[in-house]
Amino acid sequence: MSVFNLINQNSSLDNKIVAGLERLSQVFRILLWEKAKEHGLSPIQIQLLIFIQYHSTDKCTVSYLAQEFNFTKPTISDAIKVLEQKNFIKKNTDSSDTRSYTIQLTASGKKIVLETENFANPITEIITKSNEADKLILWENISNLILLLNRQEIISIQRTCFNCGHYTIKNKDAFCSLLNQKLLTKDIRIDCEEFELA
Ligand code: SF4
């Protein structure tokens, strides 16, 4: 049964939700393509630059990036090669193993990030106008959906509170033992710098 068969889709709320999510994924793709075209890069190359800008060095390796973006290592290596040729990144080779390296942005790479990282702004502007109660319901549903897809290994890496060793239950409430704070719905993170796999 396909949610794209309009008879199935329009007779079921579940199918309409899935079709709607698919439509939203197209919006991100289109917005990213527009930025990529402006700079003569591919969408994944822009995504890599933005990821590298905001994540620690241990995550800026070909293996980690391949898992993060669900691409093969050769595909990520090729994208990195182009970014290096364009002088947007530089490789830092490990002195004990010359085959492995971490990736760092150059000044030109940081400039590209500044010019492209706002690609999702049209969506942010709409969300900002929603009321707080609606946002909380949306966030609870999105974070749970991501978690369930992660449990099914469709989303490979997920640095979320629900998978984190610092996540605990205290007085019946979700709690982060590292930040020493209660985790209300609005506090749940899907990409946390302090994340440690449970
Ligand atoms: S360290 Fe970060 S991911 Fe882990 S529970 Fe605390 S806020 Fe959540």
Side-chain angles (χ1 to χ4, degrees), residues 63 92-102:
S63 305
N92 295 318
T93 310
D94 184 341
S95 53
S96 60
D97 177 4
T98 49
R99 284 164 311 170
S100 79
Y101 58 86
T102 57

Side-chain angles (χ1 to χ4, degrees), residues 70 146-157:
N70 285 305
I146 290 171
L147 178 68
L148 293 174
L149 289 167
N150 176 231
R151 297 257 156 96
Q152 288 183 31
E153 298 182 359
I154 296 171
I155 294 179
S156 52
I157 297 186

Side-chain angles (χ1 to χ4, degrees), residues 24-39:
L24 288 176
S25 78
Q26 284 178 24
V27 173
F28 283 96
R29 255 198 329 266
I30 292 163
L31 293 171
L32 189 55
W33 257 114
E34 282 172 6
K35 289 286 178 191
K37 268 191 296 183
E38 277 172 31
H39 294 276

Side-chain angles (χ1 to χ4, degrees), residues 160-161 164 166-167 176 178-179 183 189 192 194-195:
T160 170
C161 298
C164 178
H166 299 296
Y167 179 89
C176 172
L178 184 77
L179 304 179
L183 294 171
R189 301 178 182 188
C192 175
E194 271 71 47
F195 172 84

